Amino acid sequence: MKYFKKIVGDKVYLSPMNSDDYLKYVEWLNDYDIAKGINNYTNIVSINSEKEWLEKAVSEKYNFAIVCMENNELLGNISLMNVSNIDKTAELGIMIGNKEYHSCGYGSEAIIILLNYAFKHVNLNNIMLKVYSFNTGAIKAYEKCGFKTFGVWKNSHYFEGEYVDEIFMNVLKDDFYKNEKVKKLCK
């Protein structure tokens, strides 16, 4: 088995990333629809560069594969970046590369179980993320998980001929556990 059930939800589990998945990531990162949401659409991702990046990423502490509980299929990845043990803060990044699993709650569940892990076991207090204003589906998912907008960087990103905003969102530990929508998965 190439995935391990490190953090378990109902529909997904988070596993340490597997560097053997580089071909799947190359496919996803060269797909315009996937890449635009993570500001990677102008890059050409080669097999060699992605293999090198993934080999580095698997050795970092909080990078996880998102895996479907039902069939052990890789759906994407989720990470805590820029973790500060002093400030008890981090930044969240997520990509659901497998389009068949978009808008089905898999990403939201992955976020909720990672946040629960981060707040309970890593002892973080404030987790933020950045999202582009055109990515309305992701914004709704983040709000469902308890994230709130705390800032907007106006016209910060040039996308398809026009400027769009970058939205900054965060969730605090206390607010997260008050959210009724997340309590079910945070046993």
Side-chain angles (χ1 to χ4, degrees):
M1 180 175 185
K2 65 179 188 173
Y3 300 113
F4 304 91
K5 294 179 179 173
K6 177 67 179 176
I7 306 169
V8 179
D10 293 334
K11 295 165 60 170
V12 300
Y13 64 91
L14 306 184
S15 170
M17 293 176 80
N18 186 325
S19 60
D20 292 339
D21 290 329
Y22 64 92
L23 289 175
K24 184 56 67 180
Y25 281 97
V26 171
E27 176 187 331
W28 291 339
L29 293 171
N30 284 301
D31 181 316
Y32 179 79
D33 293 329
I34 302 299
K36 72 180 181 184
I38 57 171
N39 193 24
N40 202 44
Y41 66 94
T42 59
N43 296 335
I44 306 301
V45 179
S46 70
I47 291 172
N48 290 340
S49 67
E50 189 59 21
K51 186 175 183 180
E52 185 178 301
W53 180 88
L54 203 52
E55 285 172 352
K56 181 177 181 244
V58 299
S59 67
E60 293 177 3
K61 217 171 193 176
Y62 302 113
N63 289 325
F64 299 96
I66 303 170
V67 185
C68 180
M69 186 69 77
E70 185 179 334
N71 58 16
N72 291 311
E73 185 171 352
L74 178 66
L75 307 183
N77 68 301
I78 189 167
S79 302
L80 291 174
M81 306 166 289
N82 305 317
V83 174
S84 170
N85 293 318
I86 294 171
D87 298 323
K88 302 200 178 307
T89 60
E91 183 175 347
L92 184 137
I94 184 171
M95 176 188 72
I96 301 295
N98 189 325
K99 289 184 192 179
E100 293 177 29
Y101 292 85
H102 283 195
S103 301
C104 300
Y106 292 92
S108 295
E109 183 174 295
I111 292 169
I112 289 169
I113 63 176
L114 181 63
L115 290 175
N116 185 52
Y117 172 81
F119 291 139
K120 279 189 176 174
H121 302 290
V122 185
N123 197 28
L124 297 179
N125 183 58
N126 184 334
I127 299 176
M128 65 93 63
L129 59 79
K130 297 178 272 191
V131 60
Y132 296 114
S133 56
F134 63 78
N135 200 346
T136 55
I139 294 167
K140 286 179 187 173
Y142 299 144
E143 290 171 341
K144 181 172 139 182
C145 297
F147 283 88
K148 295 177 183 165
T149 300
F150 70 87
V152 177
W153 191 6
K154 293 289 203 184
N155 294 328
S156 63
H157 183 68
Y158 191 72
F159 178 72
E160 294 186 345
E162 61 185 44
Y163 288 96
V164 297
D165 301 338
E166 187 169 20
I167 299 170
F168 294 80
M169 303 177 83
N170 74 330
V171 61
L172 301 175
K173 180 178 182 175
D174 289 344
D175 293 338
F176 177 74
Y177 289 110
K178 290 177 189 172
N179 184 338
E180 292 298 321
K181 293 177 183 174
V182 304
K183 285 184 180 178
K184 179 185 166 203
L185 285 167
C186 300
K187 301 165 188 145

